[in-house]
Structures are given as structure tokens and as C-alpha cells.
Amino acid sequence: MAAPHAVVGVEGDGSDSGPNLSHLSITDEKRPQFGTRFLTDPRQVFQHNAWDNVEWTEEQEAAAKKKVSENSQPLPPEKQEEFDSRANEYWNDFYTIHENRFFKDRHWLFTEFPELSPQGSLSHESHPEALTTDGGQQNNLGQEKSEGVADEDFPGSSATYRILEVGCGVGNTVFPILKTNNDPGLFVYCCDFSSTAVELVKTNPEYDPERCFAFVHDLSDVEANYPVPDGTLDVIVLIFVLSALHPDKMQASISRLARLLKPGGVMLLRDYGRFDMAQLRFKKGRCLSENFYVRGDGTRVYFFTQDELHELFTEAGLDKVQNLVDRRLQVNRGKQLTMYRVWIQCKYSKAPVQAPEMQD
């Protein structure tokens, strides 16, 4: 297996992907948006920066499992507790150091998640996954629900389409949405564990309090209030954020978020998959628990399988729309290095309200 050498931050640029590992898959879904450049001749590997849907050999997968097993001795419980209790401090330090220079804006979002685009760009023909189980009435249902809560006093109460991003960082998802989606009924909420990150969002010249509300929130604190009532959000976005939570807190956090969705609303996730290059790069002494690690800066990361995520979402009462592995072989042509990435992408929806049957 080509050894991954690239320096890995807390996420990729969102267009990366990794190997198709059979034990990750629960479906045979194919990606309609990505997956257009295939490596058919290994001698041509350095002709492009990346290749889609690259399969691992049995030897490569065995080597990855061996690498993870070798570095899976958990740290002592007192050290694990320290990283858990100081998580806010570590993320604040991260954003104090990097500010808005670390991540790129995620313009790939609108290809992968058309739910974030202007409503006019969503069509049943081009994006059938946007349909709800009652024949595609998601938009109408959402508007009716919005009108029903318009009198309540909360930010964006008069909006007809509401998006919440959890773990917004410095706004690399929020600001592309605001710039791209000109729907006058749109309102975007965004929150982060780090008060430093939220302050960077609010002081960004592109922050518009008429269309956006940024707030500090700990996703794992399920008793903490959100600034919107339950049943009022059309879309919830989780991009490389669930993996930062302690695994024991993930289910309660997803279940709490699910309550915020309208009937027909959708939760969108993109996060690290098992045996991603970032996982294979961890050295001994960095493992907190199985597939859960601490980086050198104190921030933490978990690496998922599709089955794990499916269980989290369905246990929260949501229905699967999409659950797939995004696979890519990244190439550094200058240094002649190859790097295997594994992301998992999910869409899970809340069952829409069914119209009552007509009586004879």
C-alpha cells in the first residue's frame, strides 16, 4: 500500500475520498456527482491530482487494519477525561491560532447537497433524493410549517426555509450558502463549540444578521436550548463535526437535533470513514478508544463506518435517503506521493406529514 505522507489537518477540502472497503458498505449506491475520473492504468497515477472510486487490494486493506490495531492501545482514563473536559479550550486555541486561514470555503456543498441551493434549483428530475415519501411535497410542507410558527419570537421566525449548520467553525459552509442561495425566505443558523470561532463568524464582513444567526453551542449538551423551536428546521448540516464528539455522546446529540427538524426535513452529514489516511497516520499514544483519537493540538476525531452512522440516524427516528462512501486517491504530483482518503456522506430525513385519506 502506498504510504500516506501528507500532513493532515482536522478535515479535508471536502472533495476528497478514499477506498471502497466492503465492510463499510450497507448499500451499493453510486455517487452521481463525483466519480468521473478513474485510474485504469496504474502507470498514469501521477497524471492528475486525484482519482475516484479507487479500490483497495486485500493486501492494502489488511495493512490498514494492522496499522490501526498496532496503534489502538488506549490512553489512561485520567488522560482521556482531561481531553474531554478541556475540549472547548483546545478548539478555542485552534481557532485563535488559525483564525480563518485553515479551511477553504466548501463550494462542493451545492453539488453534493442540493438542499442547500436556492429552492428553484431543486428539481425532482435532477435530484430525486430531494423527494419525500409522499410524492415530493417537502417544500410546500416546509412553507406551511413556517407560516404556522411565524408569530413566535425567535431569530428567522418569518423565514420559509431554515438551515442550521452545527460545528460551523469560521463560516466555510455558512458564507458560501449565503452567497449562493438568494432565496428571500432563507434564514441560516450556525453554531460552534468554540466561542472564538463564532466571534470570527460574526465579525466577518459577509455576516448578515438579517439572514443569519450565529451562536455558541455544545452539541453534546442535550439539555442546552437551541434558538429555534422543535419542528422548525428544513435542513441540518453536520460537516466533519460529529467525529469530534465522544462516541458515548453521539446518539443523544443526533436524537436532539432530529427534534428540531420539520416533517420532511433532512439531516446532511459528511465525515471521516474508517481507515481514512488521517486514521492511519496516528502514532501510538494517540488512541482514546477504539477508532477515536486525539491530535497533537488536543482536538479529537472518530472514524466511522456506514453502519454506525445508519444506526445513529435511524435510532433518532430518521429515514435513510443516502449513505455512501466517497472514495478517492489523492496525488501529490510534485512529491510523487499517493494518499488514500475515505469520507462517508449521509442524508437522513424526518417522515413527512401524510395527508388524511379522503372519506367516501
Side-chain angles (χ1 to χ4, degrees), residues 24-166:
L24 282 171
S25 300
I26 60 174
T27 67
D28 295 323
E29 295 168 276
K30 300 297 184 182
R31 169 181 300 286
Q33 293 88 357
F34 284 97
T36 58
R37 180 173 287 162
F38 307 108
L39 180 62
T40 56
D41 183 354
R43 295 171 298 179
Q44 303 297 315
V45 65
F46 294 109
Q47 294 299 308
H48 297 288
N49 291 327
W51 301 93
D52 295 315
N53 297 333
V54 176
E55 304 285 346
W56 278 16
T57 64
E58 292 183 3
E59 291 78 12
Q60 285 175 313
E61 185 168 345
K65 289 181 178 179
K66 182 173 183 291
K67 177 74 171 176
V68 169
S69 177
E70 289 173 349
N71 298 337
S72 292
Q73 295 77 26
L75 291 171
E78 60 271 16
K79 290 296 294 183
Q80 296 191 40
E81 174 59 31
E82 176 187 346
F83 288 116
D84 194 56
S85 62
R86 298 178 61 190
N88 178 271
E89 175 186 335
Y90 289 125
W91 279 111
N92 275 331
D93 288 346
F94 174 87
Y95 286 112
T96 298
I97 294 169
H98 298 288
E99 294 186 339
N100 60 356
R101 298 183 298 271
F102 195 85
F103 302 124
K104 299 177 182 178
D105 283 355
R106 299 160 174 158
H107 295 289
W108 55 268
L109 284 166
F110 308 105
T111 302
E112 293 303 294
F113 298 137
E115 295 84 354
L116 304 176
S117 301
Q119 287 296 87
S121 67
L122 281 174
S123 68
H124 298 166
E125 292 76 20
S126 60
H127 301 297
E129 73 274 15
L131 286 171
T132 61
T133 55
D134 65 346
Q137 300 303 311
Q138 178 174 338
N139 293 345
N140 291 338
L141 280 170
Q143 290 175 3
E144 290 169 7
K145 180 68 176 177
S146 296
E147 292 162 5
V149 299
D151 293 335
E152 296 188 29
D153 185 20
F154 65 93
S157 58
S158 62
T160 56
Y161 199 74
R162 302 187 188 93
I163 297 171
L164 165 66
E165 189 200 5
V166 181

